[in-house]
Amino acid sequence: MAQAYMTETGSGGREPDRRGSRLRRLLDGWRGDRGIWRRGLILAALAVILALVMLLHAQIPNAIGNLGSLTETFLPWLGLFVPILLILAFVRKSASALIAVLLPAIVWLNLFGGLLTDKTGSGGDLTVATHNVNAENPDPSGTARDVAASGADVLALEELTASAVPVYEKALASTYKYHSVQGTVGLWSKYPLTGARPVDIKLGWTRAMRATVTTPAGQVAIYVAHLPSVRVKLEAGFTARQRDKSADALGEAIADEPLKKVVLLGDLNGTMNDRALNAVTAQMRSTQGAAGSGFGFSWPASFPMARIDQIMVKGIEPETSWTLPETGSDHLPIAARVKVGATAS
């Protein structure tokens, strides 16, 4: 009887063990299980394949449906498969799969871990913003007021229609003394704007422009561009040939720019990871990548999945970069604060 009493009440400190973490109890259940290395080999293989896709994304060919560019456009989202594989590995009680899942996790962190930190600063002497306003925007006047409220000194708008241009001009007139519209893109500035002209991006109509903005810190060449849209089609895959051709032409124009300080604003219909934009991205810095917080996704506005709207600089130091609130467009506007007087890094 005494022994029974001791068993019920004299646990000798074992109660905390029974209340141990679920993880510890799960691992205890694996001890002595010889199958933990043989189970989950398919999961382990999937984890290795995922790691290789992210690590070698630049080697995925574009010859078939531009599969490489499609993968690179949504590359950050491949990280979602890591926790899924991790959970499945625990469910399967597979040590092999658990170890294999570390590979894609490490690769993803190497590619995108830097974007998880806040790199924003408080300096800068020029604020710029860009917005694809959407040709079918139901409230262009409200959109104009919203982006002007960002405090941008220089504002670029893309996908302007002939009927909407007067609405934007009227709504922005009180904030911006200088402006120029070239085709379907426009530039508004608080500082003198000269030398505005179209930039030929091999489309047959104007969707890019260049102008010189004379800021208090010096002259800056501002490029505004709206590269052709891309489509995902069942019969053709990720169709982006015209976008790629226009990106090359834009890159050549920027490379030939005589001014040393350059800002590119616009909808490039591609991310910084997309190799098709190398002609541009190889010579410029993304303000979001250099001085932003997070991924800064801008499209679609209702549930942003990719940053296809870009602010890029050359010979200028990014200080901070952010995404603005939703307007009547299917894109989110984006903005950045840069230091024109800084030495290029």
Side-chain angles (χ1 to χ4, degrees):
M1 188 69 176
Q3 180 64 38
Y5 176 80
M6 291 297 293
T7 300
E8 291 178 346
T9 62
S11 61
R14 292 176 186 173
E15 184 66 21
D17 287 341
R18 291 200 298 267
R19 295 178 180 176
S21 69
R22 292 183 180 180
L23 178 60
R24 176 178 294 179
R25 293 198 300 271
L26 177 61
L27 294 178
D28 286 344
W30 290 16
R31 291 176 182 175
D33 186 350
R34 298 180 180 179
I36 61 174
W37 296 104
R38 295 193 299 268
R39 285 193 300 269
L41 294 182
I42 293 178
L43 287 175
L46 290 175
V48 172
I49 292 172
L50 178 61
L52 290 174
V53 169
M54 291 191 289
L55 183 64
L56 304 176
H57 63 86
Q59 308 306 317
I60 300 175
N62 263 340
I64 302 176
N66 279 288
L67 183 60
S69 286
L70 177 59
T71 301
E72 290 166 338
T73 297
F74 299 103
L75 195 61
W77 292 94
L78 293 183
L80 291 179
F81 290 104
V82 173
I84 293 174
L85 290 172
L86 183 63
I87 292 172
L88 292 176
F90 270 111
V91 171
R92 281 291 284 146
K93 295 184 178 180
S94 170
S96 300
L98 281 174
I99 294 174
V101 170
L102 291 176
L103 296 176
I106 292 171
V107 173
W108 191 92
L109 287 172
N110 181 62
L111 290 173
F112 303 110
L115 294 175
L116 301 179
T117 61
D118 188 349
K119 300 179 290 297
T120 58
S122 58
D125 49 29
L126 181 70
T127 301
V128 297
T130 181
H131 190 26
N132 179 327
V133 295
N134 188 359
E136 299 179 358
N137 192 318
D139 184 19
S141 181
T143 295
R145 289 194 298 271
D146 288 343
V147 291
S150 68
D153 301 308
V154 176
L155 171 65
L157 301 181
E158 304 87 49
E159 208 166 296
L160 297 170
T161 63
S163 60
V165 166
V167 179
Y168 287 106
E169 289 176 329
K170 180 179 180 180
L172 295 172
S174 61
T175 305
Y176 300 98
K177 184 177 180 180
Y178 310 92
H179 86 278
S180 174
V181 175
Q182 305 287 331
T184 61
V185 297
L187 186 64
W188 278 259
S189 174
K190 295 178 180 179
Y191 304 123
L193 187 155
T194 57
R197 59 173 175 79
V199 173
D200 182 11
I201 55 174
K202 312 302 180 185
L203 284 175
W205 69 95
T206 301
R207 285 178 42 147
M209 65 174 290
R210 179 254 182 231
T212 298
V213 174
T214 304
T215 76
Q219 289 190 330
V220 180
I222 306 288
Y223 283 77
V224 183
H226 183 195
L227 298 188
S229 300
V230 296
R231 297 288 185 268
V232 179
K233 300 179 180 179
L234 290 177
E235 71 279 9
F238 190 66
T239 57
R241 182 174 301 176
Q242 186 59 65
R243 190 278 311 266
D244 299 350
K245 182 179 178 181
S246 293
D248 290 342
L250 178 62
E252 291 177 8
I254 294 173
D256 293 337
E257 170 58 48
L259 291 181
K260 294 183 178 180
K261 299 182 184 298
V262 185
V263 175
L264 170 61
L265 305 167
D267 174 6
L268 302 190
N269 270 305
T271 68
M272 293 297 295
N273 297 309
D274 193 336
R275 76 194 70 171
L277 302 184
N278 280 351
V280 176
T281 58
Q283 59 178 317
M284 306 190 80
R285 300 173 68 193
S286 163
T287 58
Q288 183 66 24
S293 177
F295 290 93
F297 294 147
S298 64
W299 177 89
S302 57
F303 187 82
M305 297 183 65
R307 185 180 178 87
I308 62 175
D309 302 275
Q310 306 291 350
I311 298 176
M312 304 182 68
V313 297
K314 181 166 70 170
I316 290 174
E317 188 66 26
E319 292 290 338
T320 186
S321 186
W322 68 98
T323 302
L324 296 169
E326 186 175 358
T327 68
S329 172
D330 58 340
H331 291 243
L332 294 178
I334 60 175
R337 183 80 174 164
V338 301
K339 190 171 184 180
V340 174
T343 302
S345 59

